[in-house]
Amino acid sequence: MTAGADITAMSMHKNSGSLTQTSLIMMQGNRVEYAEVKRAFAMFSSTSPNPLLLASLDAARKEMALHGKELIHENLKLAKYAREELNKIPGVAVYGREYIQKRNNSGVYGIDETKLVIDTRGLGLYGYEVYRKIRELCNVQMELGEVSVVLACIGPGSKKEHIDALIHGFRVLSEKYYQKDGRADIPQYKYSYPENLVSPRVAYDAPHKVVYLKDSIGEISAETVMAYPPGIPLVIPGEIITDDAVRLIEFYKNEGGEVLKDTRQDQIKVIDRENWYLNDDLLHSYKEL
């Protein structure tokens, strides 16, 4: 909000100790109408809200209002200690303030130092592997594992003993996997927006069939395929399924990423063109395809 956002969502369960799946909508200024936001929120919110979740939000808010400065100060001390110790481990690199300095012209406003973004390539391991191994080695649950990084969050309940366990886990991994001759070969993919033939609504309502991923290239997707983390769709309804998209889906699936979709992991739902009624505009687009 200090950076000038008009409206944003804050994950209180990650930052302030409330129960999982609780967050706040924050607003400032006069560019966004409060009444409109409230009306839109009412369309999606339940008529039977969970009082336990709401109470945890209020308790966390009160704790941060009364003791937030002390808690954040302690978290920053732990984060500084963690970065210094982790960066001493061969093959381990944790992003810090230098990340902003290298990108001072790219619109980066700041960095949350309580989030430890740890590059795993120097260990010769994918982030997915480190995510699992750290939990097995030292009973530390990372926030997420990605292709080349893992994320550890330091919150109000974090203690030095938790940080020491994390450091110990990475030392063990370094001793076992670090090689001086280079970093892991992390695959590079061409990230491009697939061609959109029809709107998601049209594709959702169209007749569909299920095909194997390997046979889906050139078909029109009838479902959303999302890789988590980071939670960004690889394909949405109405888009042409490309070779790049299929390779990405298979990569995430094979390397331990969570692929969220309606169908089996080796299949995908596509529009059944033979039984699809097309109006004149869609027919023109279809013939061009």
Side-chain angles (χ1 to χ4, degrees):
M1 302 303 284
T2 306
D6 300 300
I7 181 171
T8 186
M10 176 183 176
S11 298
M12 288 285 284
H13 67 270
K14 295 180 181 177
N15 299 295
S16 308
S18 60
L19 293 177
T20 295
Q21 71 177 298
T22 54
S23 60
L24 300 175
I25 295 176
M26 303 173 68
M27 299 175 58
Q28 66 181 358
N30 56 13
R31 297 212 309 170
V32 178
E33 289 287 342
Y34 173 79
E36 288 299 307
V37 174
K38 187 175 180 180
R39 186 169 71 91
F41 180 78
M43 293 176 63
F44 294 97
S45 60
S46 171
T47 55
S48 303
N50 189 318
L52 183 61
L53 296 180
L54 292 176
S56 81
L57 264 178
D58 198 32
R61 179 209 55 79
K62 179 180 178 180
E63 179 72 3
M64 294 305 289
L66 297 177
H67 309 293
K69 289 185 178 180
E70 296 91 332
L71 288 170
I72 293 298
H73 179 70
E74 184 60 29
N75 286 346
L76 290 173
K77 282 175 56 180
L78 289 174
K80 183 175 183 294
Y81 168 67
R83 275 189 175 83
E84 290 175 350
E85 294 302 312
L86 286 168
N87 279 326
K88 294 176 184 177
I89 301 173
V92 178
V94 188
Y95 295 139
R97 284 278 161 189
E98 75 285 348
Y99 182 83
I100 301 177
Q101 295 167 1
K102 292 179 181 178
R103 293 162 174 78
N104 57 359
N105 294 320
S106 64
V108 176
Y109 176 79
I111 184 172
D112 182 350
E113 295 183 30
T114 65
K115 306 295 188 292
L116 304 176
V117 180
I118 307 169
D119 193 325
T120 65
R121 289 174 293 176
L123 296 174
L125 298 171
Y126 289 118
Y128 304 119
E129 297 175 275
V130 173
Y131 176 90
R132 295 190 298 268
K133 291 179 185 296
I134 286 294
R135 184 169 55 195
E136 295 166 0
L137 284 169
C138 53
N139 197 31
V140 171
Q141 177 63 57
M142 310 295 287
E143 175 66 20
L144 64 83
E146 242 285 4
V147 176
S148 58
V149 300
V150 289
L151 171 64
C153 294
I154 299 176
S158 300
K159 307 294 181 186
K160 184 175 181 295
E161 62 194 76
H162 304 142
I163 304 300
D164 286 336
L166 178 69
I167 295 168
H168 171 72
F170 272 97
R171 283 175 178 158
V172 173
L173 291 181
S174 178
E175 292 171 2
K176 185 173 182 179
Y177 295 102
Y178 175 67
Q179 297 179 0
K180 295 182 179 180
D181 57 356
R183 296 148 71 88
D185 182 21
I186 302 300
Q188 298 295 319
Y189 289 101
K190 181 178 67 176
Y191 291 90
S192 59
Y193 290 105
E195 180 185 358
N196 182 265
L197 180 65
V198 295
S199 71
R201 175 176 297 204
V202 170
Y204 183 87
D205 291 333
H208 65 266
K209 62 183 179 180
V210 176
V211 300
Y212 287 103
L213 268 176
K214 61 183 178 63
D215 301 323
S216 68
I217 297 172
E219 297 287 350
I220 307 169
S221 178
E223 65 172 311
T224 298
V225 182
M226 183 181 296
Y228 187 86
I232 299 173
L234 303 176
V235 180
I236 65 171
E239 289 183 341
I240 306 300
I241 301 170
T242 64
D243 179 64
D244 283 341
V246 170
R247 287 194 297 113
L248 267 176
I249 294 168
E250 290 179 337
F251 170 77
Y252 276 99
K253 175 171 62 74
N254 294 335
E255 296 302 330
E258 186 71 23
V259 179
L260 307 179
K261 53 205 298 290
D262 298 339
T263 48
R264 278 178 18 186
Q265 292 298 296
D266 60 340
Q267 297 178 335
I268 189 169
K269 186 163 59 177
V270 300
I271 289 178
D272 184 356
R273 299 187 185 189
E274 294 181 358
N275 297 302
W276 189 25
Y277 171 76
L278 298 172
N279 61 32
D280 291 340
D281 291 337
L282 293 180
L283 184 60
H284 178 70
S285 299
Y286 176 77
K287 286 180 178 178
E288 287 185 346
L289 176 69

PDB file of all heavy atoms in Angstrom, residues 75-99:
ATOM      1  N   ASN A  75      11.410 -10.938  13.763  1.00  0.00           N
ATOM      2  CA  ASN A  75      11.410 -11.696  12.509  1.00  0.00           C
ATOM      3  C   ASN A  75      12.545 -11.258  11.583  1.00  0.00           C
ATOM      4  O   ASN A  75      13.195 -12.082  10.944  1.00  0.00           O
ATOM      5  CB  ASN A  75      10.081 -11.511  11.786  1.00  0.00           C
ATOM      6  CG  ASN A  75       8.948 -12.283  12.448  1.00  0.00           C
ATOM      7  OD1 ASN A  75       9.186 -13.151  13.277  1.00  0.00           O
ATOM      8  ND2 ASN A  75       7.728 -11.961  12.101  1.00  0.00           N
ATOM      9  N   LEU A  76      12.786  -9.958  11.517  1.00  0.00           N
ATOM     10  CA  LEU A  76      13.861  -9.442  10.669  1.00  0.00           C
ATOM     11  C   LEU A  76      15.232  -9.876  11.182  1.00  0.00           C
ATOM     12  O   LEU A  76      16.145 -10.151  10.392  1.00  0.00           O
ATOM     13  CB  LEU A  76      13.775  -7.917  10.575  1.00  0.00           C
ATOM     14  CG  LEU A  76      12.582  -7.370   9.783  1.00  0.00           C
ATOM     15  CD1 LEU A  76      12.492  -5.852   9.897  1.00  0.00           C
ATOM     16  CD2 LEU A  76      12.668  -7.775   8.317  1.00  0.00           C
ATOM     17  N   LYS A  77      15.381  -9.936  12.489  1.00  0.00           N
ATOM     18  CA  LYS A  77      16.639 -10.432  13.065  1.00  0.00           C
ATOM     19  C   LYS A  77      16.856 -11.896  12.683  1.00  0.00           C
ATOM     20  O   LYS A  77      17.970 -12.294  12.304  1.00  0.00           O
ATOM     21  CB  LYS A  77      16.617 -10.296  14.592  1.00  0.00           C
ATOM     22  CG  LYS A  77      16.881  -8.902  15.105  1.00  0.00           C
ATOM     23  CD  LYS A  77      16.723  -8.808  16.610  1.00  0.00           C
ATOM     24  CE  LYS A  77      17.619  -9.812  17.335  1.00  0.00           C
ATOM     25  NZ  LYS A  77      17.459  -9.711  18.810  1.00  0.00           N
ATOM     26  N   LEU A  78      15.803 -12.700  12.771  1.00  0.00           N
ATOM     27  CA  LEU A  78      15.903 -14.111  12.390  1.00  0.00           C
ATOM     28  C   LEU A  78      16.198 -14.250  10.899  1.00  0.00           C
ATOM     29  O   LEU A  78      16.997 -15.104  10.490  1.00  0.00           O
ATOM     30  CB  LEU A  78      14.601 -14.844  12.733  1.00  0.00           C
ATOM     31  CG  LEU A  78      14.315 -15.087  14.211  1.00  0.00           C
ATOM     32  CD1 LEU A  78      12.922 -15.688  14.389  1.00  0.00           C
ATOM     33  CD2 LEU A  78      15.363 -16.013  14.825  1.00  0.00           C
ATOM     34  N   ALA A  79      15.561 -13.408  10.082  1.00  0.00           N
ATOM     35  CA  ALA A  79      15.781 -13.471   8.647  1.00  0.00           C
ATOM     36  C   ALA A  79      17.221 -13.110   8.295  1.00  0.00           C
ATOM     37  O   ALA A  79      17.844 -13.747   7.425  1.00  0.00           O
ATOM     38  CB  ALA A  79      14.811 -12.526   7.931  1.00  0.00           C
ATOM     39  N   LYS A  80      17.768 -12.105   8.946  1.00  0.00           N
ATOM     40  CA  LYS A  80      19.157 -11.701   8.706  1.00  0.00           C
ATOM     41  C   LYS A  80      20.109 -12.837   9.080  1.00  0.00           C
ATOM     42  O   LYS A  80      21.046 -13.164   8.332  1.00  0.00           O
ATOM     43  CB  LYS A  80      19.484 -10.448   9.515  1.00  0.00           C
ATOM     44  CG  LYS A  80      20.877  -9.884   9.306  1.00  0.00           C
ATOM     45  CD  LYS A  80      21.036  -8.573  10.063  1.00  0.00           C
ATOM     46  CE  LYS A  80      22.411  -7.949   9.795  1.00  0.00           C
ATOM     47  NZ  LYS A  80      23.520  -8.748  10.335  1.00  0.00           N
ATOM     48  N   TYR A  81      19.861 -13.445  10.224  1.00  0.00           N
ATOM     49  CA  TYR A  81      20.675 -14.577  10.681  1.00  0.00           C
ATOM     50  C   TYR A  81      20.581 -15.743   9.693  1.00  0.00           C
ATOM     51  O   TYR A  81      21.593 -16.349   9.314  1.00  0.00           O
ATOM     52  CB  TYR A  81      20.198 -15.004  12.065  1.00  0.00           C
ATOM     53  CG  TYR A  81      20.736 -16.333  12.541  1.00  0.00           C
ATOM     54  CD1 TYR A  81      22.080 -16.508  12.830  1.00  0.00           C
ATOM     55  CD2 TYR A  81      19.874 -17.420  12.719  1.00  0.00           C
ATOM     56  CE1 TYR A  81      22.571 -17.731  13.277  1.00  0.00           C
ATOM     57  CE2 TYR A  81      20.348 -18.646  13.159  1.00  0.00           C
ATOM     58  CZ  TYR A  81      21.695 -18.785  13.439  1.00  0.00           C
ATOM     59  OH  TYR A  81      22.173 -20.005  13.874  1.00  0.00           O
ATOM     60  N   ALA A  82      19.364 -16.037   9.242  1.00  0.00           N
ATOM     61  CA  ALA A  82      19.160 -17.145   8.306  1.00  0.00           C
ATOM     62  C   ALA A  82      19.892 -16.893   6.994  1.00  0.00           C
ATOM     63  O   ALA A  82      20.566 -17.789   6.460  1.00  0.00           O
ATOM     64  CB  ALA A  82      17.666 -17.345   8.056  1.00  0.00           C
ATOM     65  N   ARG A  83      19.772 -15.680   6.439  1.00  0.00           N
ATOM     66  CA  ARG A  83      20.442 -15.371   5.176  1.00  0.00           C
ATOM     67  C   ARG A  83      21.959 -15.510   5.297  1.00  0.00           C
ATOM     68  O   ARG A  83      22.618 -16.079   4.429  1.00  0.00           O
ATOM     69  CB  ARG A  83      20.096 -13.942   4.727  1.00  0.00           C
ATOM     70  CG  ARG A  83      18.809 -13.834   3.960  1.00  0.00           C
ATOM     71  CD  ARG A  83      18.615 -12.460   3.350  1.00  0.00           C
ATOM     72  NE  ARG A  83      17.414 -12.474   2.521  1.00  0.00           N
ATOM     73  CZ  ARG A  83      16.194 -12.314   2.989  1.00  0.00           C
ATOM     74  NH1 ARG A  83      16.012 -12.131   4.294  1.00  0.00           N
ATOM     75  NH2 ARG A  83      15.152 -12.354   2.179  1.00  0.00           N
ATOM     76  N   GLU A  84      22.491 -14.969   6.377  1.00  0.00           N
ATOM     77  CA  GLU A  84      23.947 -15.015   6.554  1.00  0.00           C
ATOM     78  C   GLU A  84      24.446 -16.454   6.644  1.00  0.00           C
ATOM     79  O   GLU A  84      25.451 -16.814   6.019  1.00  0.00           O
ATOM     80  CB  GLU A  84      24.338 -14.242   7.811  1.00  0.00           C
ATOM     81  CG  GLU A  84      24.154 -12.727   7.669  1.00  0.00           C
ATOM     82  CD  GLU A  84      24.424 -11.996   8.973  1.00  0.00           C
ATOM     83  OE1 GLU A  84      24.562 -12.678  10.028  1.00  0.00           O
ATOM     84  OE2 GLU A  84      24.492 -10.744   8.952  1.00  0.00           O
ATOM     85  N   GLU A  85      23.746 -17.285   7.404  1.00  0.00           N
ATOM     86  CA  GLU A  85      24.196 -18.665   7.601  1.00  0.00           C
ATOM     87  C   GLU A  85      23.962 -19.519   6.356  1.00  0.00           C
ATOM     88  O   GLU A  85      24.803 -20.336   5.977  1.00  0.00           O
ATOM     89  CB  GLU A  85      23.491 -19.281   8.813  1.00  0.00           C
ATOM     90  CG  GLU A  85      23.858 -18.625  10.137  1.00  0.00           C
ATOM     91  CD  GLU A  85      25.359 -18.693  10.401  1.00  0.00           C
ATOM     92  OE1 GLU A  85      25.952 -19.781  10.243  1.00  0.00           O
ATOM     93  OE2 GLU A  85      25.931 -17.649  10.756  1.00  0.00           O
ATOM     94  N   LEU A  86      22.807 -19.341   5.708  1.00  0.00           N
ATOM     95  CA  LEU A  86      22.510 -20.129   4.511  1.00  0.00           C
ATOM     96  C   LEU A  86      23.463 -19.774   3.370  1.00  0.00           C
ATOM     97  O   LEU A  86      23.894 -20.644   2.612  1.00  0.00           O
ATOM     98  CB  LEU A  86      21.063 -19.905   4.075  1.00  0.00           C
ATOM     99  CG  LEU A  86      19.988 -20.571   4.934  1.00  0.00           C
ATOM    100  CD1 LEU A  86      18.599 -20.044   4.573  1.00  0.00           C
ATOM    101  CD2 LEU A  86      20.029 -22.086   4.806  1.00  0.00           C
ATOM    102  N   ASN A  87      23.820 -18.502   3.244  1.00  0.00           N
ATOM    103  CA  ASN A  87      24.720 -18.085   2.168  1.00  0.00           C
ATOM    104  C   ASN A  87      26.152 -18.570   2.369  1.00  0.00           C
ATOM    105  O   ASN A  87      26.966 -18.499   1.448  1.00  0.00           O
ATOM    106  CB  ASN A  87      24.700 -16.561   2.022  1.00  0.00           C
ATOM    107  CG  ASN A  87      23.507 -16.070   1.215  1.00  0.00           C
ATOM    108  OD1 ASN A  87      23.070 -16.735   0.281  1.00  0.00           O
ATOM    109  ND2 ASN A  87      22.969 -14.923   1.586  1.00  0.00           N
ATOM    110  N   LYS A  88      26.461 -19.061   3.563  1.00  0.00           N
ATOM    111  CA  LYS A  88      27.778 -19.643   3.811  1.00  0.00           C
ATOM    112  C   LYS A  88      27.867 -21.089   3.322  1.00  0.00           C
ATOM    113  O   LYS A  88      28.965 -21.645   3.208  1.00  0.00           O
ATOM    114  CB  LYS A  88      28.095 -19.622   5.316  1.00  0.00           C
ATOM    115  CG  LYS A  88      28.258 -18.225   5.912  1.00  0.00           C
ATOM    116  CD  LYS A  88      28.472 -18.325   7.418  1.00  0.00           C
ATOM    117  CE  LYS A  88      28.545 -16.951   8.079  1.00  0.00           C
ATOM    118  NZ  LYS A  88      28.678 -17.076   9.561  1.00  0.00           N
ATOM    119  N   ILE A  89      26.710 -21.679   3.034  1.00  0.00           N
ATOM    120  CA  ILE A  89      26.665 -23.100   2.657  1.00  0.00           C
ATOM    121  C   ILE A  89      26.945 -23.236   1.162  1.00  0.00           C
ATOM    122  O   ILE A  89      26.283 -22.590   0.338  1.00  0.00           O
ATOM    123  CB  ILE A  89      25.284 -23.698   3.003  1.00  0.00           C
ATOM    124  CG1 ILE A  89      25.009 -23.562   4.501  1.00  0.00           C
ATOM    125  CG2 ILE A  89      25.223 -25.167   2.581  1.00  0.00           C
ATOM    126  CD1 ILE A  89      23.592 -23.971   4.899  1.00  0.00           C
ATOM    127  N   PRO A  90      27.904 -24.047   0.764  1.00  0.00           N
ATOM    128  CA  PRO A  90      28.214 -24.233  -0.660  1.00  0.00           C
ATOM    129  C   PRO A  90      26.992 -24.703  -1.450  1.00  0.00           C
ATOM    130  O   PRO A  90      26.300 -25.636  -1.055  1.00  0.00           O
ATOM    131  CB  PRO A  90      29.309 -25.310  -0.649  1.00  0.00           C
ATOM    132  CG  PRO A  90      29.945 -25.186   0.693  1.00  0.00           C
ATOM    133  CD  PRO A  90      28.837 -24.815   1.629  1.00  0.00           C
ATOM    134  N   GLY A  91      26.718 -24.008  -2.545  1.00  0.00           N
ATOM    135  CA  GLY A  91      25.608 -24.388  -3.402  1.00  0.00           C
ATOM    136  C   GLY A  91      24.285 -23.756  -3.045  1.00  0.00           C
ATOM    137  O   GLY A  91      23.290 -23.969  -3.734  1.00  0.00           O
ATOM    138  N   VAL A  92      24.252 -22.966  -1.972  1.00  0.00           N
ATOM    139  CA  VAL A  92      23.006 -22.343  -1.511  1.00  0.00           C
ATOM    140  C   VAL A  92      23.124 -20.827  -1.650  1.00  0.00           C
ATOM    141  O   VAL A  92      24.139 -20.240  -1.258  1.00  0.00           O
ATOM    142  CB  VAL A  92      22.695 -22.715  -0.050  1.00  0.00           C
ATOM    143  CG1 VAL A  92      21.423 -22.015   0.429  1.00  0.00           C
ATOM    144  CG2 VAL A  92      22.564 -24.223   0.099  1.00  0.00           C
ATOM    145  N   ALA A  93      22.114 -20.181  -2.201  1.00  0.00           N
ATOM    146  CA  ALA A  93      22.097 -18.731  -2.348  1.00  0.00           C
ATOM    147  C   ALA A  93      20.715 -18.211  -1.998  1.00  0.00           C
ATOM    148  O   ALA A  93      19.706 -18.733  -2.493  1.00  0.00           O
ATOM    149  CB  ALA A  93      22.472 -18.320  -3.778  1.00  0.00           C
ATOM    150  N   VAL A  94      20.669 -17.194  -1.141  1.00  0.00           N
ATOM    151  CA  VAL A  94      19.399 -16.602  -0.720  1.00  0.00           C
ATOM    152  C   VAL A  94      19.340 -15.159  -1.221  1.00  0.00           C
ATOM    153  O   VAL A  94      20.264 -14.379  -0.998  1.00  0.00           O
ATOM    154  CB  VAL A  94      19.256 -16.623   0.814  1.00  0.00           C
ATOM    155  CG1 VAL A  94      17.846 -16.195   1.219  1.00  0.00           C
ATOM    156  CG2 VAL A  94      19.577 -17.997   1.371  1.00  0.00           C
ATOM    157  N   TYR A  95      18.245 -14.813  -1.908  1.00  0.00           N
ATOM    158  CA  TYR A  95      18.102 -13.448  -2.417  1.00  0.00           C
ATOM    159  C   TYR A  95      17.968 -12.463  -1.262  1.00  0.00           C
ATOM    160  O   TYR A  95      17.331 -12.745  -0.240  1.00  0.00           O
ATOM    161  CB  TYR A  95      16.862 -13.334  -3.311  1.00  0.00           C
ATOM    162  CG  TYR A  95      16.927 -14.156  -4.572  1.00  0.00           C
ATOM    163  CD1 TYR A  95      15.820 -14.855  -5.038  1.00  0.00           C
ATOM    164  CD2 TYR A  95      18.105 -14.242  -5.295  1.00  0.00           C
ATOM    165  CE1 TYR A  95      15.874 -15.602  -6.203  1.00  0.00           C
ATOM    166  CE2 TYR A  95      18.183 -14.986  -6.465  1.00  0.00           C
ATOM    167  CZ  TYR A  95      17.068 -15.666  -6.908  1.00  0.00           C
ATOM    168  OH  TYR A  95      17.125 -16.412  -8.053  1.00  0.00           O
ATOM    169  N   GLY A  96      18.564 -11.275  -1.457  1.00  0.00           N
ATOM    170  CA  GLY A  96      18.484 -10.225  -0.448  1.00  0.00           C
ATOM    171  C   GLY A  96      18.303  -8.866  -1.091  1.00  0.00           C
ATOM    172  O   GLY A  96      17.767  -8.751  -2.201  1.00  0.00           O
ATOM    173  N   ARG A  97      18.758  -7.816  -0.407  1.00  0.00           N
ATOM    174  CA  ARG A  97      18.600  -6.447  -0.894  1.00  0.00           C
ATOM    175  C   ARG A  97      19.282  -6.214  -2.241  1.00  0.00           C
ATOM    176  O   ARG A  97      18.872  -5.358  -3.010  1.00  0.00           O
ATOM    177  CB  ARG A  97      19.176  -5.473   0.138  1.00  0.00           C
ATOM    178  CG  ARG A  97      18.276  -5.275   1.343  1.00  0.00           C
ATOM    179  CD  ARG A  97      17.191  -4.267   1.028  1.00  0.00           C
ATOM    180  NE  ARG A  97      16.087  -4.382   1.972  1.00  0.00           N
ATOM    181  CZ  ARG A  97      14.946  -3.745   1.837  1.00  0.00           C
ATOM    182  NH1 ARG A  97      14.745  -2.990   0.779  1.00  0.00           N
ATOM    183  NH2 ARG A  97      13.979  -3.876   2.710  1.00  0.00           N
ATOM    184  N   GLU A  98      20.329  -6.986  -2.514  1.00  0.00           N
ATOM    185  CA  GLU A  98      21.019  -6.808  -3.795  1.00  0.00           C
ATOM    186  C   GLU A  98      20.094  -7.119  -4.981  1.00  0.00           C
ATOM    187  O   GLU A  98      20.311  -6.644  -6.091  1.00  0.00           O
ATOM    188  CB  GLU A  98      22.271  -7.699  -3.850  1.00  0.00           C
ATOM    189  CG  GLU A  98      22.021  -9.174  -4.064  1.00  0.00           C
ATOM    190  CD  GLU A  98      21.498  -9.899  -2.825  1.00  0.00           C
ATOM    191  OE1 GLU A  98      21.531  -9.300  -1.719  1.00  0.00           O
ATOM    192  OE2 GLU A  98      21.070 -11.058  -2.956  1.00  0.00           O
ATOM    193  N   TYR A  99      19.050  -7.898  -4.725  1.00  0.00           N
ATOM    194  CA  TYR A  99      18.084  -8.225  -5.784  1.00  0.00           C
ATOM    195  C   TYR A  99      17.407  -6.955  -6.287  1.00  0.00           C
ATOM    196  O   TYR A  99      17.174  -6.795  -7.487  1.00  0.00           O
ATOM    197  CB  TYR A  99      17.048  -9.202  -5.241  1.00  0.00           C
ATOM    198  CG  TYR A  99      16.026  -9.661  -6.254  1.00  0.00           C
ATOM    199  CD1 TYR A  99      16.306 -10.698  -7.132  1.00  0.00           C
ATOM    200  CD2 TYR A  99      14.778  -9.058  -6.334  1.00  0.00           C
ATOM    201  CE1 TYR A  99      15.381 -11.124  -8.066  1.00  0.00           C
ATOM    202  CE2 TYR A  99      13.844  -9.467  -7.261  1.00  0.00           C
ATOM    203  CZ  TYR A  99      14.143 -10.503  -8.125  1.00  0.00           C
ATOM    204  OH  TYR A  99      13.222 -10.906  -9.057  1.00  0.00           O
TER     205      TYR A  99
END
